[in-house]
Amino acid sequence: MKPKIWLSSPHMGGNEQKYVREAFDTNWIAPLGPNVTGFENDLEEYLNQNKQVACLSSGTAAIHLALLQLDVQRDDEVICQTFTFCGSANPITYLGAKPVFVDSEAETWNMCPNYLEEAIKDRITKGKKPKAIIIVHLYGMPSKIEELTAVANKYQIPVIEDAAEALGSNYKGQKCGTFGAYSILSFNGNKIITTSGGGALVCSTEEEKHQTIFYATQARDNAPHYEHTKIGYNYRMSNISAGIGRGQMEVLDKHVDLRRKVNRFYTDLFKNIEGVEVQKEPSEDFYSNFWLSCILIHKNAPFTKQRFQEIMNSENIETRPLWKPMHMQPIFKNNLFYGSELSEGLFNKGICLPSGSNLSDDELYRIKSLIEKYV
């Protein structure tokens, strides 16, 4: 069996161990410490929009705390992009609220502004104005964030920007992760940079950051004993994980460049293969980190989606279907959905390809040779 080519594996820069070693040497083995502060400062400087960052245990935790601070309560409704990972939608249910799913548009595969407005208008007529909107930048591709926020502002509904897959992407030069009332980042093991596991909530004010940390550290009140007037959560990032993140920040831009290079490789590889479409940026306004490079396999392609995955798997090359839309998931089958069949079509035709910033030339050659062999 040939060595595995992974979809998106961790890629260390070299300095991560320095920060982790400092944590051990100074005995900061806790969910606080200089690495946590340093990592938050690094992210705030990188985002460059006067934002405040609180590092947490996951991106899902960040969405949960954003919803909490927007006063989402039981039986409230929150609009959520349907074409996404379950981590975008699940936190809505943690609070007893109900996700209302909205379909994608064809250019970015992210939330459609027209369907968003249709959903809002319909819910308002039913006396159920949504409490928040969760917009996702899927696979690193910026959404039509300007149009989407214009709709949200028109109806005065706050936006939570799920930039879990989009650190390093930007729209019209502004970094993804800075457009929402709250924005979230993820540093899971397969992301553009990793802390092994972890995430962050990007806040607009220092007060919101302090409130986030309060909820993330079991909501302990300022008292000489353990006093609690709110329900809290164990969501803070550890100083060890943050040390990995500080090292990763040093190579973030390099990792983005390498993933974009991989995307150009696939664009060139498939350009003369009929029926295979590589996801691309709609215009120069959109700058994707191409966290994952994705293709759509249409009916006139020389292979089906299933056959393509079988071919890749036979050579120990990992691929993955695009996300199955949330409104098609058994757990959400009774939830409201506004849209057509666009996201369903993407799921039926789409594949994620190996996209890591650490893919070698030999691994890319293996992929190219295999595809050319079957075409």
Side-chain angles (χ1 to χ4, degrees), residues 83 296 305 321-325 328 342-350:
F83 194 43
L296 299 179
K305 171 184 167 182
L322 300 188
W323 298 122
K324 184 176 183 178
M328 296 174 63
L342 194 137
S343 57
E344 183 177 349
L346 292 171
F347 167 63
N348 289 333
K349 295 185 286 188

Side-chain angles (χ1 to χ4, degrees), residues 11-17 19 35-48 53 55 167-168 175-176 185-187 191-195 200 237 241-256:
H11 185 190
M12 295 297 101
N15 277 341
E16 294 84 1
Q17 291 187 33
Y19 295 105
N35 279 336
V36 177
T37 303
F39 189 30
E40 289 173 342
N41 291 341
D42 291 344
L43 288 163
E44 288 167 2
E45 183 178 348
Y46 183 81
L47 294 174
N48 193 30
V53 175
C55 285
L167 183 60
K175 293 282 197 306
C176 291
L185 306 172
S186 173
F187 313 115
K191 292 299 189 294
I192 195 87
I193 63 168
T194 183
T195 59
M237 180 180 285
S241 295
I244 300 172
R246 293 188 75 185
Q248 288 275 278
M249 285 299 293
E250 296 178 8
V251 293
L252 171 55
D253 287 336
K254 178 183 176 183
H255 285 192
V256 172

Side-chain angles (χ1 to χ4, degrees), residues 85-242:
F85 175 58
C86 67
S88 303
N90 283 348
I92 301 169
T93 69
Y94 298 170
L95 296 165
K98 299 175 182 177
V100 173
F101 295 112
V102 168
D103 208 354
S104 299
E105 38 78 16
E107 289 190 301
T108 72
W109 303 358
N110 293 308
M111 186 182 286
C112 173
N114 295 331
Y115 286 133
L116 171 62
E117 184 158 28
E118 178 186 320
I120 293 171
K121 289 166 70 174
D122 184 62
R123 299 320 297 151
I124 289 175
T125 62
K126 303 293 195 302
K128 294 291 292 184
K129 181 180 177 180
K131 269 291 192 72
I133 302 165
I134 298 177
I135 295 167
V136 187
H137 306 299
L138 206 66
Y139 303 120
M141 183 64 68
S143 63
K144 293 186 175 181
I145 193 70
E146 202 169 44
E147 296 176 46
L148 292 165
T149 52
V151 174
N153 292 338
K154 177 179 177 180
Y155 296 95
Q156 297 183 311
I157 303 172
V159 166
I160 297 172
E161 179 195 10
D162 184 345
E165 301 171 0
L167 183 60
S169 301
N170 69 68
Y171 175 77
K172 291 186 176 179
Q174 182 176 336
K175 293 282 197 306
C176 291
T178 64
F179 289 94
Y182 291 93
S183 302
I184 75 110
L185 306 172
S186 173
F187 313 115
N188 194 24
N190 63 1
K191 292 299 189 294
I192 195 87
I193 63 168
T194 183
T195 59
S196 178
L201 185 59
V202 183
C203 307
S204 298
T205 67
E206 194 170 348
E207 182 182 355
E208 290 171 353
K209 175 178 177 176
H210 289 320
Q211 189 74 353
T212 299
I213 295 170
F214 168 73
Y215 280 117
T217 51
Q218 297 291 19
R220 181 185 176 185
D221 293 333
N222 186 17
H225 54 276
Y226 283 83
E227 183 84 7
H228 303 276
T229 54
K230 304 274 188 184
I231 294 293
Y233 307 90
N234 186 16
Y235 279 169
R236 196 69 162 127
M237 180 180 285
S238 80
N239 197 54
I240 298 295
S241 295

Side-chain angles (χ1 to χ4, degrees), residues 5 24 37 71 85 105 143 146 160 162 185-186 201 271 276 284 297 303 313 317 335 361:
I5 298 180
F24 275 92
T37 303
D71 196 34
F85 175 58
E105 38 78 16
S143 63
E146 202 169 44
I160 297 172
D162 184 345
L185 306 172
S186 173
L201 185 59
K271 67 181 179 182
V276 179
E284 291 183 356
I297 300 174
F303 37 69
N313 188 55
I317 300 171
N335 287 62
D361 288 342

